[in-house]
Amino acid sequence: MTNSLVTLWQLPLDDLPPPEFYEALRRCVDREQIPTIDRLAQILWQRGWRDLEQLPGQLNPDDYSPTPPSAFGIEMDRAIARLCLARDRGEYVAIWGDFDADGITATSVLWDGLGQFFPRPDRLCYTIPDRLTDSHGLNRHGLERLSAAGVSLVVTCDTGSTNLAEIAAATDLGLDIIVTDHHTLPDDRPNVVAIVNPRYFDRDHPLYHLSGVAVAYKLVEALYTALPEIPAEPLDRLLDLVAIGLIADLVELRGDCRYLAQIGIAQLQQQNDPQTATRPGVAKLLDLCKRSGDRPTDISFGLGPRINAVSRIYGDASFCVELLTSRDRQRCNELALQTENANTRRKALQRNVLERVKARLASIDLSTTRAIILEDPGWAGGVLGLTAGQIAQEYGRPTILLSRDRDDPDLDPATVFARGSARSAGGIDLYQLVKSQASLLDRFGGHPFAAGLSLPLANLPLFQAAIERQLALQLGDRVRLPEIIEADLMVTVPELGRELFRELKVIEPCGMGNPAPRLLIRRCWFENVKNKNIKDLSGKAVRYIKTHFEIWDEYSDETNVSGFPGVWWGHYQDELPNGKCDAIVELDFNPHSQNYEVRLLAVRPWQDAIAPSQSAAATTTPTLNAIKLLDWRDPSQPWETNDSRLPNPNAIPQLTHCPTRWDELRARLRRLQLRHPNATHLALAYTLPDAPNPDRLWRDLVGIAKYLCNHNQSIDHVHLRYRLDLSGFALDQGLQALEMHGFSVIRRDNDLRFAFADRQTENPVTVSEQAQALEQFHTAIAEQQFHRQYFTSVSLADIQASLQGGTRNVLDERTRTLQN
């Protein structure tokens, strides 16, 4: 039996899409915003997005045909018929929700949606269990309370599928139940009026992956269809709540899930603008977490954790429904501040429990342990799921962390219950694993990746032994499965930034089944490394750390690009290795600093092997001298495809951007080679671009400078070059011309800021000096075009000789003369 955790870094396959895929993708993407799609096409192709007919609908929600709620068939029909009957009779209806972000948003969708048909609060109410005392799902005392209040119909959301005993109790109380849920189904259909659950569909059905909030939305959509004359507000006003719950719940964003997330994020973005905001609570949360609402990460790292934190800290999360649905701005601001403080406390509490769990693990022999199952009366139950996820990932084992409901040594263990959360690792189906020991449990629920459970404390030793035996049958001699870290794309540091960010943003919304692109940077290193503790609203430091750094590689030096900023959450600076490394990162935009940055996911010393499954060529990139260059610059000439030794032309990496300098050509070829380490040939496939219009470029440069001045924002020097398609020398001439025309240009490393200069100076700039500066900018643009003409006509032999360190040529001499 082995205890060593093997971590496999899997590189992307060197599998290039065919030309027709590029053509189809280009038709789906705005050329002005995203001029290049090579890396986007490579990732989509590798992820299996190969159906050219479905591609437009996957990328653009306007081209997608959503599935109607009638697809749920007779169960939806029964639910709508019962709701219509309740409305006609004037019955009192209760929404039974859940306390996580999916359950809270699902409750809010039903509260706002059903509220169009049932007067609030006279004929409609909601209840949410207390995380710290009730756990998930229906419970008898809550049902008794609703029955006593006169409720006759209960509509669940994000819960209820497996609460068979509680459903039987509801029947005894005279309550009808409509279940809307997405969790795993019981073997037999529960005795309810209707159960609307996408788990009845096949896995490839477009509705299969709906979360609780999306199922609730489908119920409201069906009611809008059945009674179209009743609602006073449009259905799509609920979509921002749907997006929050979908993304926060980590469901696979495929089919209708992806569609709802796309249109929901567009709706959520409106909450960031005071002119279009309709939910002051959501707007305030976005403000507190310094997010704009236009990206899924604004939910997964901003709104979602804050909503979840309320029940983790307070237990009762009912006020979150008011926060998300109320129009009272002052009240919403108060609730948002409570939510923010809960999230800050959650981070500190989570860190504390994590340290205590690790201290326990340090005294346990893990060499024979396939599952980590620990209980401690002092652990805060609200953060056990988050902590279990961290432990499962770090230790590579399914993890179950429990805390008892009463801590009294004099009590009979049979009367004390341990309650907590479980998280999976290594692809283990956690729901089935826990379900296999249902006879030892009081209650449980969840899905393959996460579960909640409670059991008599006296049963815990039996439960631990049974889970260990069950895993032994699955894993054999291994105590844990290898951890696999996949990279989608190999890039260099100079490629990081706005251009790549915009290209990869087309893949969003990202989540389960469509993760954010993971970028591999080879032979990099870290500088300016420092730790920071986060702070709460009062400025007080919280014990939850992150490490800031700059990441560099050899191409940073070649292209005179400074290091790129990044952050490593939950890690200290001394955990970063010294010397050259390989790193896997995600490219992100920080709305607080208004800068692009990377989020470090994994790092290892450079000399380590990347992935045993890859060939030796995948870990050793040949020099440019060893690469055969093909000349495809003239589209009127046939490509060199008559050589039987050549690979398939579609598989040959192509340089499509015309360079302006020899060092730029070398850097671009080297980056292309790095992205395709197995390539034996590279093709020069660029053509001469149209001559730029100097007047238009000047207007664009002035417009950008004014915008950045007015919004107090900065821009990266390299990003500005890419945006205007200017050489470094031409851009520098343009910046000097700006300084002659009333702007101050503040340079800090590779960062540019602009300000309106004070014109009351002793030596004002003359009109002649302004004209001269502008003429130099025009000359530099013309020189840039001359350089491009040169690189479209220079012989392949001269290019090969230059790459091998050959003699300088007339272009170098002309460049030096111009710059002098």
Side-chain angles (χ1 to χ4, degrees), residues 536-581:
D536 61 19
L537 289 176
S538 65
K540 181 180 178 181
V542 179
R543 292 186 65 245
Y544 190 89
I545 55 94
K546 57 182 177 177
T547 294
H548 290 265
F549 57 81
E550 288 183 355
I551 188 170
W552 294 68
D553 67 4
E554 58 196 60
Y555 306 100
S556 309
D557 295 336
E558 287 185 15
T559 54
N560 295 318
V561 173
S562 62
F564 198 81
V567 62
W568 199 14
W569 286 93
H571 291 269
Y572 290 97
Q573 63 185 53
D574 56 7
E575 295 181 63
L576 282 174
N578 296 318
K580 290 189 175 181
C581 311

XYZ file of all heavy atoms in Angstrom, residues 536-581:
381
model
N -11.109 43.712 7.414
C -12.562 43.862 7.427
C -12.917 45.319 7.127
O -12.060 46.153 6.819
C -13.156 43.385 8.748
C -12.638 44.167 9.948
O -12.110 45.290 9.751
O -12.763 43.677 11.077
N -14.228 45.640 7.240
C -14.687 46.983 6.880
C -14.080 48.067 7.766
O -13.928 49.209 7.350
C -16.211 47.039 6.965
C -16.968 46.268 5.881
C -18.464 46.327 6.149
C -16.665 46.827 4.503
N -13.715 47.710 8.992
C -13.126 48.691 9.902
C -11.621 48.839 9.708
O -10.999 49.657 10.361
C -13.415 48.280 11.348
O -12.752 47.056 11.663
N -11.045 48.043 8.804
C -9.608 48.096 8.566
C -8.814 47.146 9.420
O -7.587 47.100 9.339
N -9.495 46.359 10.242
C -8.815 45.414 11.114
C -8.379 44.185 10.319
O -9.142 43.635 9.527
C -9.751 44.990 12.245
C -9.136 44.023 13.232
C -10.127 43.648 14.321
C -9.538 42.642 15.302
N -10.518 42.258 16.356
N -7.125 43.771 10.522
C -6.600 42.610 9.793
C -7.286 41.333 10.250
O -7.580 41.152 11.435
C -5.094 42.493 9.997
N -7.547 40.464 9.305
C -8.165 39.172 9.574
C -7.152 38.087 9.220
O -6.439 38.193 8.221
C -9.448 38.992 8.726
C -10.072 37.640 8.995
C -10.436 40.100 9.025
N -7.092 37.027 10.019
C -6.095 35.980 9.797
C -6.494 35.092 8.617
O -6.886 33.954 8.770
C -5.900 35.152 11.067
C -5.257 35.916 12.202
C -4.955 35.013 13.393
N -3.964 34.011 13.065
C -4.212 32.713 13.053
N -5.424 32.266 13.305
N -3.260 31.840 12.757
N -6.396 35.665 7.452
C -6.658 34.922 6.212
C -5.712 35.524 5.186
O -5.889 36.658 4.749
C -8.108 35.090 5.776
C -8.524 34.167 4.658
C -9.029 32.903 4.945
C -8.398 34.535 3.340
C -9.409 32.039 3.933
C -8.776 33.685 2.317
C -9.288 32.444 2.612
O -9.660 31.595 1.601
N -4.677 34.792 4.820
C -3.545 35.406 4.120
C -3.616 35.178 2.620
O -4.321 34.304 2.121
C -2.195 34.892 4.672
C -2.143 33.350 4.606
C -1.989 35.365 6.088
C -1.494 32.809 3.377
N -2.858 35.987 1.919
C -2.647 35.829 0.492
C -1.257 36.360 0.186
O -0.712 37.201 0.910
C -3.702 36.581 -0.317
C -3.798 38.065 -0.015
C -4.901 38.723 -0.825
C -5.032 40.203 -0.461
N -6.062 40.886 -1.280
N -0.667 35.852 -0.876
C 0.676 36.248 -1.279
C 0.608 36.957 -2.620
O 0.054 36.424 -3.586
C 1.604 35.029 -1.381
O 1.780 34.468 -0.080
C 2.960 35.410 -1.951
N 1.166 38.165 -2.668
C 1.265 38.922 -3.911
C 2.667 38.741 -4.497
O 3.651 38.579 -3.765
C 0.993 40.402 -3.667
C -0.439 40.705 -3.333
N -1.351 41.091 -4.286
C -1.114 40.667 -2.157
C -2.534 41.280 -3.722
N -2.416 41.022 -2.420
N 2.768 38.797 -5.811
C 4.064 38.581 -6.476
C 4.030 39.169 -7.875
O 2.974 39.587 -8.380
C 4.379 37.074 -6.554
C 3.328 36.271 -7.261
C 3.275 36.198 -8.657
C 2.374 35.568 -6.533
C 2.297 35.470 -9.299
C 1.387 34.833 -7.171
C 1.350 34.783 -8.553
N 5.196 39.195 -8.496
C 5.320 39.413 -9.933
C 5.904 38.146 -10.534
O 6.849 37.574 -9.982
C 6.229 40.599 -10.255
C 5.631 41.945 -9.944
C 6.557 43.079 -10.344
O 7.699 42.800 -10.773
O 6.152 44.249 -10.210
N 5.347 37.697 -11.653
C 5.859 36.511 -12.326
C 6.620 36.954 -13.574
O 6.173 37.831 -14.314
C 4.709 35.538 -12.668
C 5.274 34.221 -13.194
C 3.699 36.152 -13.619
C 4.220 33.117 -13.315
N 7.806 36.365 -13.757
C 8.692 36.705 -14.868
C 9.051 35.425 -15.628
O 8.986 34.324 -15.071
C 9.993 37.344 -14.360
C 9.844 38.674 -13.699
C 9.254 38.955 -12.515
C 10.317 39.918 -14.219
N 9.319 40.289 -12.238
C 9.974 40.919 -13.265
C 11.004 40.292 -15.366
C 10.287 42.260 -13.453
C 11.325 41.648 -15.544
C 10.957 42.609 -14.602
N 9.460 35.577 -16.877
C 10.090 34.487 -17.606
C 11.111 35.070 -18.566
O 11.276 36.301 -18.654
C 9.062 33.593 -18.320
C 8.332 34.281 -19.455
O 8.648 35.446 -19.772
O 7.427 33.661 -20.048
N 11.798 34.195 -19.302
C 12.878 34.666 -20.173
C 12.371 35.556 -21.294
O 13.099 36.395 -21.823
C 13.621 33.468 -20.764
C 12.726 32.526 -21.549
C 13.373 31.180 -21.795
O 13.697 30.497 -20.816
O 13.541 30.835 -22.965
N 11.091 35.415 -21.648
C 10.538 36.234 -22.714
C 10.211 37.637 -22.230
O 10.101 38.565 -23.022
C 9.301 35.556 -23.304
C 9.612 34.153 -23.736
C 9.275 33.068 -22.938
C 10.310 33.919 -24.917
C 9.597 31.780 -23.316
C 10.633 32.635 -25.299
C 10.275 31.564 -24.495
O 10.612 30.299 -24.870
N 10.057 37.807 -20.909
C 9.908 39.147 -20.354
C 11.164 39.957 -20.656
O 11.100 41.122 -21.047
C 9.700 39.087 -18.838
O 8.674 38.201 -18.491
N 12.330 39.311 -20.480
C 13.586 39.997 -20.739
C 13.743 40.303 -22.223
O 14.164 41.387 -22.616
C 14.763 39.144 -20.256
C 14.741 38.970 -18.732
O 14.136 39.830 -18.065
O 15.305 37.990 -18.250
N 13.393 39.327 -23.087
C 13.579 39.518 -24.522
C 12.760 40.680 -25.067
O 13.174 41.383 -25.975
C 13.197 38.240 -25.280
C 14.187 37.110 -25.148
C 13.795 35.926 -26.013
O 12.934 36.097 -26.898
O 14.354 34.841 -25.812
N 11.554 40.872 -24.538
C 10.641 41.882 -25.074
C 10.558 43.129 -24.195
O 9.703 43.984 -24.411
C 9.234 41.280 -25.224
O 8.824 40.731 -23.970
C 9.216 40.181 -26.261
N 11.443 43.224 -23.201
C 11.469 44.380 -22.300
C 10.127 44.598 -21.604
O 9.691 45.721 -21.397
C 11.877 45.647 -23.070
C 13.292 45.562 -23.596
O 14.192 45.097 -22.892
N 13.498 46.004 -24.832
N 9.459 43.515 -21.285
C 8.198 43.574 -20.552
C 8.478 43.247 -19.091
O 9.177 42.275 -18.791
C 7.168 42.582 -21.146
C 5.924 42.535 -20.283
C 6.810 42.983 -22.566
N 7.937 44.043 -18.178
C 8.183 43.796 -16.767
C 7.388 42.587 -16.298
O 6.570 42.024 -17.030
C 7.798 45.042 -15.953
O 6.424 45.311 -16.106
N 7.616 42.182 -15.053
C 6.880 41.064 -14.496
C 5.392 41.356 -14.423
O 4.953 42.509 -14.392
N 4.614 40.297 -14.377
C 3.158 40.433 -14.385
C 2.641 40.179 -12.975
O 3.060 39.219 -12.312
C 2.545 39.434 -15.371
C 1.139 39.752 -15.771
C 0.879 40.692 -16.749
C 0.066 39.124 -15.145
C -0.419 40.996 -17.124
C -1.240 39.419 -15.497
C -1.484 40.367 -16.500
N 1.714 40.997 -12.479
C 1.249 40.845 -11.086
C 0.397 39.596 -10.905
O -0.289 39.136 -11.827
C 0.429 42.115 -10.845
C -0.023 42.546 -12.206
C 1.087 42.156 -13.141
N 0.437 39.057 -9.686
C -0.355 37.868 -9.393
C -0.610 37.729 -7.909
O -0.040 38.452 -7.077
N -1.486 36.781 -7.568
C -1.844 36.542 -6.172
C -2.003 35.042 -5.964
O -2.453 34.320 -6.862
C -3.143 37.303 -5.797
C -4.326 36.820 -6.618
C -3.444 37.194 -4.308
N -1.619 34.581 -4.791
C -1.778 33.180 -4.392
C -2.556 33.173 -3.094
O -2.041 33.508 -2.030
C -0.413 32.529 -4.207
C -0.433 31.028 -4.233
C -1.444 30.228 -4.657
C 0.624 30.151 -3.836
N -1.099 28.907 -4.560
C 0.171 28.825 -4.054
C 1.897 30.334 -3.327
C 0.948 27.714 -3.772
C 2.686 29.233 -3.049
C 2.215 27.933 -3.274
N -3.841 32.824 -3.182
C -4.721 32.894 -2.023
C -4.430 31.751 -1.041
O -4.227 30.619 -1.440
C -6.180 32.824 -2.460
C -6.656 34.082 -3.090
C -6.668 34.401 -4.417
C -7.164 35.234 -2.412
N -7.165 35.667 -4.608
C -7.484 36.197 -3.396
C -7.395 35.530 -1.071
C -8.011 37.445 -3.076
C -7.925 36.773 -0.748
C -8.228 37.712 -1.742
N -4.419 32.112 0.250
C -4.291 31.108 1.297
C -2.894 30.529 1.459
O -2.738 29.495 2.097
N -1.878 31.196 0.901
C -0.509 30.679 0.979
C 0.441 31.786 1.434
O 0.216 32.970 1.185
C -0.051 30.140 -0.374
C -0.766 28.885 -0.795
N -0.295 27.633 -0.496
C -1.917 28.705 -1.486
C -1.124 26.723 -0.987
N -2.116 27.349 -1.592
N 1.533 31.344 2.082
C 2.562 32.269 2.532
C 3.667 32.372 1.484
O 3.856 31.476 0.656
C 3.151 31.801 3.866
C 2.191 31.925 5.021
C 1.438 30.828 5.456
C 2.028 33.144 5.677
C 0.562 30.945 6.529
C 1.148 33.263 6.746
C 0.419 32.163 7.162
O -0.452 32.284 8.205
N 4.439 33.459 1.568
C 5.451 33.725 0.560
C 6.563 32.679 0.549
O 7.135 32.390 -0.501
C 6.042 35.121 0.755
C 6.769 35.330 2.077
C 7.210 36.771 2.250
O 6.410 37.693 2.136
N 8.486 36.975 2.506
N 6.850 32.087 1.711
C 7.925 31.100 1.727
C 7.509 29.767 1.106
O 8.331 28.855 0.973
C 8.441 30.874 3.157
C 7.340 30.468 4.127
O 6.202 30.222 3.670
O 7.616 30.404 5.336
N 6.229 29.635 0.703
C 5.800 28.434 0.007
C 6.134 28.478 -1.480
O 6.063 27.452 -2.157
C 4.288 28.238 0.190
C 3.858 27.977 1.626
C 2.359 27.775 1.755
O 1.835 26.799 1.174
O 1.708 28.601 2.410
N 6.484 29.657 -1.994
C 6.904 29.757 -3.392
C 8.336 29.257 -3.520
O 9.218 29.672 -2.763
C 6.828 31.208 -3.882
C 5.444 31.749 -4.232
C 5.532 33.232 -4.564
C 4.835 30.977 -5.392
N 8.614 28.374 -4.474
C 9.980 27.871 -4.627
C 10.914 28.948 -5.157
O 10.494 29.877 -5.857
C 9.820 26.726 -5.642
C 8.559 27.035 -6.377
C 7.668 27.747 -5.416
N 12.182 28.823 -4.799
C 13.201 29.723 -5.340
C 13.661 29.214 -6.700
O 13.584 28.031 -6.998
C 14.397 29.806 -4.389
C 14.021 30.419 -3.047
O 13.269 31.393 -3.000
N 14.531 29.851 -1.969
N 14.145 30.109 -7.503
C 14.647 29.710 -8.818
C 13.534 29.529 -9.834
O 12.385 29.921 -9.621
N 13.873 28.903 -10.954
C 12.914 28.752 -12.042
C 11.879 27.676 -11.721
O 12.196 26.655 -11.110
C 13.639 28.430 -13.343
C 14.443 29.608 -13.891
C 14.979 29.343 -15.285
C 15.672 30.575 -15.830
N 16.191 30.361 -17.206
N 10.652 27.938 -12.169
C 9.515 27.066 -11.860
C 8.670 26.870 -13.110
O 8.837 27.551 -14.121
C 8.620 27.684 -10.790
S 9.467 28.300 -9.338
